[in-house]
Amino acid sequence: MGKHELTGGEMVEDGSGLPPAIYLRGKLVGLRAPLRADAGDASVWYEGDPPLLPEAAESLLAAGERIPWGNNPTIRLMIVALASGEIVGGLIVHRSASRTSQLALTVGERVPQRAQVQAEVLRLAVPWLLNEVGLMTVTIRIPADETSMLTAAEGAGMHTAVRLREYVVRPGGRVNLLTMERVNEDWGRRWRRHDHA
Amino acid sequence: MRDAVKVGPRLYLRRLTEEDASTLAEASHLEDETGLHEDGRIPMSVLSFEAWIRGLDASSTVFAISRRGDGGCIGTASIRNIDRVNGTAETGSGLLRREDRGKGLGTEAKQLLLEFAFGELGLHVLSSTVFEGNVRSARALRKQGYRLAGRLTANVLAAGGVIGDTLVFDITRGDWEHARQEARPAEPSGHDGAGLAGPDDQASG
Ligand SMILES: CC(C)(COP(=O)(O)OP(=O)(O)OC[C@H]1O[C@@H](n2cnc3c(N)ncnc32)[C@H](O)[C@@H]1OP(=O)(O)O)[C@@H](O)C(=O)NCCC(=O)NCCS
């Protein structure tokens, strides 16, 4: 990823044959399904602990990419800069029983306008998952010191649901781990809630 | 107390083995309480429990709960998703028979499990989740020193189309040490006899 600002504007054709989905495009970035060739950029999109070598990343994609219906609850997407076609991060959606979900959002440390990219991705993805994919809840776990990610989640209408104390270790000490969630209110109207004691 | 890892006044923890699979499978057929598990009761095979026990890796520690003087298995106590970098994990426990529940046995087993998690494993904080309808389990967790960390809204679709929240609890090493000091103010410092197996009882590996 270059060091220049991600500018908005027309999508650059990167020759991959997969444009960002027309319904998941913002001003700076868009989301598309992974390609085998994305393995080389794993350091930018992979949500686990780096490093992930390109060969391992290719195996991961080959093993994980299944039509996301039926038994495959996982949706992995690449975050692509609209102006350059470069991959700047990844989003993975783990669905459970087609009803609840947990996101992992990764944006490369050195991506320019990182906070804006985080915010834009969640503002695109959360309403899509609730209103179109039809999930009942979307959650994301964020260490309490990742302020830009927290702001991004709040910008997507998410609220703190769980605060696990001292759950993440940092060089300077421990920080809490927050679970932010947004609930699909349509589901709330359609389903009977447990009677709170 | 063959293979005891942690010993309490009435119970001890030992490694769960494939030999326990038939007890667990039978219990899944004899469960007479509803509303404990979000997926409802499901009769499970010995084969499935054997495969699960065989497949346990370093990210989990699962103990059988045994009565002192009896090597059987009256329940399980587990530490899952062990994250050695952050020093975190999730705990869970269950007693197999209704007549054993509500008598403090689950709490005794959990105290032994916490000693193992904070002691031997050196973990820093543990979490545990409960379906909000499982009032006894939530109450037991509070009694064991866990604090409510929040709730995941509408996380569980239970019987009858009822949607419920998942309650999330946590307990830090600090909470646990504090509770131990409160419980035993007069105890001299140093080796804590209660709850630790003697050398003859140590599990191998
Ligand atoms: C959860 C479990 C391990 C707890 O162990 P336990 O030995 O039953 O727990 P304890 O007896 O120490 O504590 C239970 C508490 O709930 C209370 N209780 C018992 N029955 C209750 C009920 N029906 N409703 C509400 N509270 C109840 C008890 O009075 C006790 O609280 P108190 O000591 O403050 O009075 C055990 O009940 C169990 O195995 N349940 C079935 C499986 C399960 O639910 N597992 C957990 C899934 S998250």
Side-chain angles (χ1 to χ4, degrees):
Chain A
M1 186 65 228
K3 290 173 187 59
H4 303 294
E5 293 249 306
L6 303 175
T7 45
E10 284 305 298
M11 167 72 201
V12 168
E13 185 52 63
D14 67 351
S16 66
L18 273 184
I22 54 172
Y23 45 90
L24 290 173
R25 287 186 194 187
K27 288 201 172 79
L28 300 173
V29 291
L31 298 166
R32 65 155 170 79
L35 298 163
R36 193 177 290 275
D38 296 337
D41 293 314
S43 62
V44 184
W45 55 256
Y46 180 55
E47 70 284 357
D49 292 328
L52 183 67
L53 296 172
E55 303 77 50
E58 192 170 335
S59 312
L60 180 103
L61 290 176
E65 283 306 300
R66 297 286 178 271
I67 298 288
W69 305 324
N71 286 335
N72 178 18
T74 302
I75 307 170
R76 182 186 287 282
L77 297 169
M78 297 292 153
I79 305 168
V80 176
L82 291 177
S84 66
E86 280 183 89
I87 296 178
V88 295
L91 177 73
I92 185 157
V93 184
H94 296 287
R95 290 177 293 170
S96 176
S98 302
R99 223 177 41 74
T100 59
S101 64
Q102 191 173 112
L103 309 181
L105 170 60
T106 309
V107 179
E109 289 282 346
R110 287 166 42 213
V111 167
Q113 294 165 278
R114 187 166 184 251
Q116 285 101 310
V117 171
Q118 291 169 332
E120 194 168 279
V121 169
L122 290 184
R123 272 203 313 272
L124 291 168
V126 172
W128 164 68
L129 289 168
L130 294 174
N131 303 329
E132 182 155 348
V133 179
L135 295 173
M136 187 166 183
T137 64
V138 179
T139 61
I140 186 166
R141 298 177 110 191
I142 306 175
D145 60 349
E146 290 190 14
T147 44
S148 64
M149 196 71 107
L150 291 171
T151 306
E154 280 164 5
M158 304 179 97
H159 302 282
T160 305
V162 177
R163 183 184 307 270
L164 289 171
R165 290 168 299 152
E166 305 170 20
Y167 223 74
V168 182
V169 73
R170 297 289 197 219
R174 288 183 165 272
V175 298
N176 295 339
L177 180 63
L178 308 183
T179 302
M180 309 281 287
E181 73 171 12
R182 183 164 159 192
V183 178
N184 187 336
E185 293 306 331
D186 281 351
W187 273 79
R189 277 196 287 280
R190 275 189 276 141
W191 289 78
R192 200 152 51 91
R193 294 292 310 275
H194 180 81
D195 210 2
H196 288 276
Chain B
M1 286 186 288
R2 188 171 54 92
D3 292 337
V5 176
K6 286 281 171 195
V7 183
R10 292 182 287 177
L11 303 174
Y12 69 98
L13 302 184
R14 61 170 173 80
R15 288 267 166 220
L16 191 71
T17 70
E18 284 183 56
E19 286 169 32
D20 296 308
S22 57
T23 308
L24 299 177
E26 186 186 48
S28 75
H29 290 73
L30 300 178
E31 179 60 66
D32 60 355
E33 279 193 85
T34 56
L36 301 180
H37 303 289
E38 51 203 68
D39 297 333
R41 291 175 291 179
I42 300 176
M44 287 185 268
S45 65
V46 177
L47 289 171
S48 69
F49 278 110
E50 282 172 349
W52 170 63
I53 294 165
R54 258 198 319 275
L56 290 171
D57 61 18
S59 69
S60 310
T61 299
V62 184
F63 292 114
I65 305 171
S66 296
R67 285 181 196 280
R68 289 182 73 150
D70 170 0
C73 171
I74 66 162
T76 57
S78 60
I79 306 171
R80 293 180 302 252
N81 291 333
I82 299 172
D83 175 341
R84 289 174 200 275
V85 174
N86 289 297
T88 60
E90 292 159 27
T91 58
S93 57
L95 297 167
L96 301 180
R97 284 184 295 271
R98 181 202 278 253
E99 58 270 27
D100 287 335
R101 298 171 187 156
K103 295 177 179 163
L105 292 170
T107 294
E108 183 179 326
K110 183 58 73 64
Q111 296 306 345
L112 298 175
L113 190 76
L114 294 179
E115 283 191 22
F116 186 82
F118 290 124
E120 276 83 339
L121 295 185
L123 297 176
H124 183 82
V125 53
L126 304 167
S127 62
S128 188
T129 56
V130 187
F131 169 48
E132 65 175 331
N134 194 344
V135 182
R136 180 180 53 209
S137 178
R139 183 156 175 169
L141 281 172
R142 289 179 202 271
K143 200 171 76 169
Q144 292 153 10
Y146 289 71
R147 296 198 212 162
L148 187 65
R151 61 168 71 221
L152 294 169
T153 310
N155 197 46
V156 176
L157 177 57
V162 175
I163 280 181
D165 297 348
T166 293
L167 304 181
V168 184
F169 291 84
D170 66 13
I171 181 168
T172 65
R173 167 186 287 279
D175 295 340
W176 173 71
E177 284 170 350
H178 183 72
R180 270 160 63 106
Q181 274 162 15
E182 296 268 297
R184 303 192 193 102
E187 189 151 330
S189 60
H191 184 77
D192 171 12
L196 274 177
D200 294 342
D201 290 325
Q202 292 293 338
S204 56

